[in-house]
């Protein structure tokens, strides 16, 4: 893992380009002390009644709602999310904490097994200290979907947040501290990538979760595997949005724009590849073009802004390069495709057609306001194209015949498929992917089953006959 500069946790407003705050990274013995503190906290935290742990998480949700405006404005300031969407992220994050506070104790309850003689049951035991490596695009939501279930379960968590969101990271740590989580139960870590490897190596740390890039995910998974520790990865996505008929086309186009442009397109489950049957293709492309061209760039903290900046100048430059090279390779640029003549990390909302294998946009994830639309002859071609991807996170299918939508959804190689709605997220629905999009599931009951010891307890009477033993 590459070195990270000592002062790499920096708030840079992506709208103005102004550097607003810097925080030094810790290393060496400071990191070891934090891990040791989390380890000691676990020994006490796991002994607390689960109802007590759930109450702390519930209080964190209450504080999150009380601090909604402050948290939302911090998110907007650091990564450029439209203020309305930032408020929505706060609500979603709070609802996840509330969900686990309410349902977590039942999810962790002992489960009886049906046996012929005596008793057998499973109990859910926490593993210990967990490391979460988190991204910048949802600075609150993606942290709490890791922290919420694990804190209720009895694990303690250490969070290494993205380098561009330090104030969001500190706000979350304060939130859990003010909710009366003891020291070491929730720990923010300003650490570099090399320290991440050392943390995973520590015998005190029992598992690692990462949401981020394929490269970072491979590094964390390799390190966790070397140490024989469980890991969970939620990586990139190139979600399909399949359109099978013309009925309700206006709603379908609105859903396509929302699915592509939420968070300025900077979402793993954003719709990125639009696969449209031939008879609908041209009207669909024209509808997307008009909607994209109507978006107005501006300050994301301004309620009137409909197009925010990307998270950083580097992110904007990288996306513009991907679009430019794809067009140079022979794709058709329907609209957009350039940097906007406006201060900030802006890229024009872009629609591209005619993309073929070998072009950059065919295989790579476009993380921003850029949509690739494909023309296909029939349902089978749509499914084949959808599955011709190294990613497998989410997807959506739009058609009037719900049973047809179900059949197509079940043939798509992803961890999640939505019919007649863009890929989304809810506390009670499992979230995760396959292939290069990672493994494991967060949210729902499954979110409490990744970092847990499902211990079997088998009880037989003292005079029970001894049976053969295999191992």
């Amino acid at each position: 893992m590459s070195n990270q500069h000592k002062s790499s946790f920096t708030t840079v407003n992506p709208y103005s380009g102004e550097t607003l705050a810097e925080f030094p990274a810790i290393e060496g013995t400071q990191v070891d002390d934090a891990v040791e503190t989390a380890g000691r906290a676990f020994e006490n935290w796991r002994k607390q009644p689960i109802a007590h742990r759930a109450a702390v998480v519930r209080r964190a949700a209450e504080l999150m709602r009380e601090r909604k405006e402050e948290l939302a404005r911090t998110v907007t300031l650091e990564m450029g999310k439209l203020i309305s969407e930032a408020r929505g992220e706060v609500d979603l994050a709070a609802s996840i904490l509330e969900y686990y506070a309410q349902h977590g104790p039942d999810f962790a309850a002992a489960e009886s097994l049906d046996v012929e003689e005596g008793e057998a049951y499973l109990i859910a035991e926490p593993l210990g200290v967990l490391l979460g490596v988190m991204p910048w695009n949802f600075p609150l939501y993606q942290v709490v979907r890791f922290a919420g279930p694990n804190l209720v379960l009895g694990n303690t968590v250490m969070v290494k947040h993205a380098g561009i969101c330090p104030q969001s990271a500190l706000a979350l740590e304060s939130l859990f501290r003010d909710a009366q989580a003891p020291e070491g139960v929730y720990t923010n870590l300003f650490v570099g990538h090399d320290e991440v490897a050392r943390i995973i190596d520590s015998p005190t740390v029992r598992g690692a979760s990462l949401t981020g890039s394929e490269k970072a995910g491979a590094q964390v998974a390799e390190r966790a595997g070397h140490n024989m520790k469980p890991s969970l990865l939620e990586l990139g996505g190139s979600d399909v949005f399949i359109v099978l008929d013309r009925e309700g086309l206006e709603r379908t186009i609105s859903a396509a724009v929302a699915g592509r442009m939420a968070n300025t397109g900077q979402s793993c489950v954003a719709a990125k590849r639009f696969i449209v049957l031939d008879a609908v293709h041209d009207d669909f492309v024209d509808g997307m073009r008009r909607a994209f061209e109507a978006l107005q760039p501006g300050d994301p903290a301004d309620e009137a802004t409909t197009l925010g900046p990307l998270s950083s100048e580097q992110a904007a430059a990288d996306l513009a390069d991907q679009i430019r090279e794809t067009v140079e390779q022979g794709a058709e640029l329907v609209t957009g495709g350039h940097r906007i003549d406006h201060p900030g990390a802006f890229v024009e909302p872009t629609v591209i057609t005619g993309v073929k294998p070998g072009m950059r946009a065919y295989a790579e994830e476009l993380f921003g306001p850029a949509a690739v639309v494909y023309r296909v002859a029939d349902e089978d071609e749509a499914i084949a194209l959808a599955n011709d991807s190294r990613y497998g996170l989410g997807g959506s299918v739009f058609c009037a015949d719900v049973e047809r939508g179900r059949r197509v959804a079940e043939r798509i190689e992803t961890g999640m498929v939505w019919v007649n709605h863009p890929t989304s997220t809810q506390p009670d629905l499992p979230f995760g992917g396959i292939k290069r999009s990672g493994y494991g599931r967060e949210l729902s009951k499954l979110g409490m089953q990744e970092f847990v010891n499902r211990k079997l307890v088998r009880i037989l009477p003292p005079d029970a006959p001894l049976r053969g033993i295999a191992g």
Side-chain angles (χ1 to χ4, degrees), residues 397-441:
V397 179
F398 280 73
C399 63
D401 183 345
V402 172
E403 288 308 310
R404 183 188 186 192
R406 186 196 313 276
R407 291 195 306 270
V408 172
E410 292 178 356
R411 293 175 63 189
I412 295 174
E413 297 170 355
T414 60
M416 307 171 285
V417 187
W418 291 56
V419 177
N420 292 325
H421 194 283
T423 312
S424 189
T425 184
Q426 296 173 199
D428 55 348
L429 297 177
F431 189 101
I434 61 172
K435 299 196 280 190
R436 301 293 291 185
S437 290
Y439 51 78
R441 294 295 180 268

Side-chain angles (χ1 to χ4, degrees), residues 335-414:
T335 189
H338 306 95
R339 295 296 303 272
I340 295 176
D341 185 16
H342 189 291
F346 287 94
V347 174
E348 291 177 329
T350 300
V351 178
I352 310 171
T353 61
V355 172
K356 295 179 172 56
M359 297 181 182
R360 286 196 67 180
Y362 187 87
E364 296 180 12
E365 179 181 23
L366 302 183
F367 214 61
V372 177
V373 186
Y374 296 90
R375 184 194 301 266
V376 293
D378 54 33
E379 181 179 303
D380 287 339
E381 186 181 353
I383 293 167
L385 179 57
N387 292 338
D388 187 22
S389 172
R390 67 187 186 191
Y391 298 108
L393 189 53
S396 50
V397 179
F398 280 73
C399 63
D401 183 345
V402 172
E403 288 308 310
R404 183 188 186 192
R406 186 196 313 276
R407 291 195 306 270
V408 172
E410 292 178 356
R411 293 175 63 189
I412 295 174
E413 297 170 355
T414 60

Side-chain angles (χ1 to χ4, degrees), residues 202-378:
S202 169
T204 302
V205 175
R206 300 297 177 85
S209 176
L210 178 139
T211 299
S213 69
E214 290 178 68
K215 180 180 178 182
Q219 291 172 331
V220 165
E222 180 181 15
R223 204 72 181 206
H226 177 75
N227 286 280
M228 297 185 183
K229 297 175 182 179
S231 60
L232 181 149
L233 303 180
E234 196 269 279
L235 308 177
S238 192
D239 282 18
V240 292
F241 186 108
I242 298 176
V243 181
L244 296 176
D245 56 37
R246 179 178 294 279
E247 191 166 335
L249 184 59
E250 184 176 338
R251 176 184 180 273
T252 299
I253 292 171
S254 295
V257 174
R260 174 65 278 198
M261 292 304 301
N263 209 34
T264 319
Q266 299 167 114
S267 170
C268 296
V269 292
K272 299 183 178 84
R273 296 183 296 142
F274 297 85
I275 301 174
V276 186
L277 261 59
D278 181 74
V280 190
H281 177 274
D282 290 350
D283 289 340
F284 179 87
V285 169
D286 187 59
M288 285 200 78
R289 176 192 61 77
R290 286 185 280 107
F292 276 23
E293 290 175 351
L295 296 172
Q296 293 297 314
D299 184 348
D302 184 341
E303 306 279 357
T305 297
T306 53
L307 178 70
L310 272 71
S311 64
S312 67
E313 179 61 30
Q314 187 63 56
D318 289 347
L319 178 62
D321 285 346
Q322 286 176 299
I323 295 168
R324 176 182 53 77
E325 290 187 27
T326 299
V327 173
E328 289 174 353
Q329 291 167 333
E332 179 185 348
L333 185 64
V334 175
T335 189
H338 306 95
R339 295 296 303 272
I340 295 176
D341 185 16
H342 189 291
F346 287 94
V347 174
E348 291 177 329
T350 300
V351 178
I352 310 171
T353 61
V355 172
K356 295 179 172 56
M359 297 181 182
R360 286 196 67 180
Y362 187 87
E364 296 180 12
E365 179 181 23
L366 302 183
F367 214 61
V372 177
V373 186
Y374 296 90
R375 184 194 301 266
V376 293
D378 54 33

Side-chain angles (χ1 to χ4, degrees), residues 143-159:
V143 173
V144 302
R145 76 181 190 193
F146 160 68
N150 285 301
L151 292 178
V152 173
L153 183 64
N155 293 315
T156 58
V157 300
M158 310 183 78
V159 176

Side-chain angles (χ1 to χ4, degrees), residues 117-118 459-466:
E117 183 181 16
I459 301 174
L460 291 162
D463 58 351
L466 300 177

Side-chain angles (χ1 to χ4, degrees), residues 112-159:
S112 296
L113 303 177
D114 187 15
V115 292
E116 292 182 3
E117 183 181 16
E119 292 180 68
Y121 56 94
L122 296 173
I123 58 175
E125 293 185 335
L127 295 183
V129 180
L130 305 177
L131 173 67
V133 181
M134 295 291 123
W136 48 260
N137 56 336
F138 290 91
L140 308 178
Y141 153 68
Q142 285 169 316
V143 173
V144 302
R145 76 181 190 193
F146 160 68
N150 285 301
L151 292 178
V152 173
L153 183 64
N155 293 315
T156 58
V157 300
M158 310 183 78
V159 176

